[in-house]
Amino acid sequence: MCKNNSKLIGYFIWIGTIFTAILLVGCELMDDSTPEESLGSEGVSLARQSDTFLQNRLFYQTIMVELEITPNTPTPSFAWRSTGSKYMRIGIFQQKIDLDDRTIANPIDAVWTWHSGLARGREGNVSFSDGADVRNGIILGASTPLPSGDYFIALWGYNDNHDLIYSSQEYRYLVP
């Protein structure tokens, strides 16, 4: 009886050791600590150039829409799985998109937009030329390529009752 118990204890120790090793490897892979090269001189975390999104979604408590953006071009194209909504919008901003409750608080920082009312492009697939430049919060008729720099891009949309219901992540976008 004692031999069987010691075999059983040995078996559990072996299983526990394997489980611990797997757990430690998994924790190492999920390590979200800030690497030293991304810390500024004051010890404050700085965004790395490889960061592609800034938060879970632009507007919380909305249905997440995955937005695909042509990388590193002054005239990006956009694609997403069609939601069926008649009221969708994409915005490109010079600054991080600020929110005030469920509205954009810094529309003055927008430099380009597309929305379904422009009658160009289609929900789920939009070319840069389908949108229009924005200056001082006013939508202009044409679109010109983006100058070099960092931008912030997001997609959001409304249902037939004009309730905000869809949004993408806020993406950081670099034009070389």
Side-chain angles (χ1 to χ4, degrees), residues 56-58 64-65 67 153-155 166-171:
N56 292 334
R57 66 189 67 160
L58 183 62
M64 175 67 92
V65 178
L67 179 61
I153 300 174
L155 165 77
Y166 303 105
S167 67
S168 72
Q169 295 172 329
E170 180 182 5
Y171 293 89

Side-chain angles (χ1 to χ4, degrees), residues 10-99:
Y11 177 73
F12 282 119
I13 290 173
W14 183 76
I15 292 292
T17 303
I18 299 240
F19 177 74
T20 302
I22 290 171
L23 184 62
L24 289 174
V25 169
C27 288
E28 182 67 29
L29 291 174
M30 294 174 50
D31 182 18
D32 59 355
S33 61
T34 306
E36 288 182 27
E37 70 261 10
S38 69
L39 293 178
S41 61
E42 301 296 319
V44 177
S45 178
L46 303 174
R48 294 181 308 243
Q49 288 292 60
S50 63
D51 290 346
T52 56
F53 63 89
L54 299 171
Q55 59 187 20
N56 292 334
R57 66 189 67 160
L58 183 62
F59 295 103
Y60 292 103
Q61 298 179 340
T62 57
I63 297 169
M64 175 67 92
V65 178
E66 295 292 330
L67 179 61
E68 294 181 20
I69 307 167
T70 309
N72 304 328
T73 175
T75 57
S77 294
F78 309 91
W80 64 97
R81 187 179 304 262
S82 179
T83 64
S85 173
K86 296 182 276 188
Y87 310 105
M88 297 298 287
R89 177 172 222 135
I90 301 170
I92 301 178
F93 293 74
Q94 288 181 317
Q95 301 293 323
K96 188 174 182 314
I97 302 169
D98 289 330
L99 303 177

Side-chain angles (χ1 to χ4, degrees), residues 95-159:
Q95 301 293 323
K96 188 174 182 314
I97 302 169
D98 289 330
L99 303 177
D100 182 11
D101 192 26
R102 295 176 75 79
T103 60
I104 304 290
N106 61 329
I108 201 83
D109 290 325
V111 295
W112 180 92
T113 192
W114 171 86
H115 60 81
S116 47
L118 289 175
R120 298 186 300 255
R122 62 182 167 81
E123 202 254 325
N125 192 348
V126 173
S127 296
F128 190 80
S129 60
D130 295 330
D133 289 347
V134 178
R135 299 290 179 267
N136 297 319
I138 297 171
I139 299 173
L140 307 175
S143 61
T144 56
L146 297 168
S148 295
D150 274 335
Y151 296 92
F152 300 87
I153 300 174
L155 165 77
W156 62 97
Y158 305 84
N159 64 14

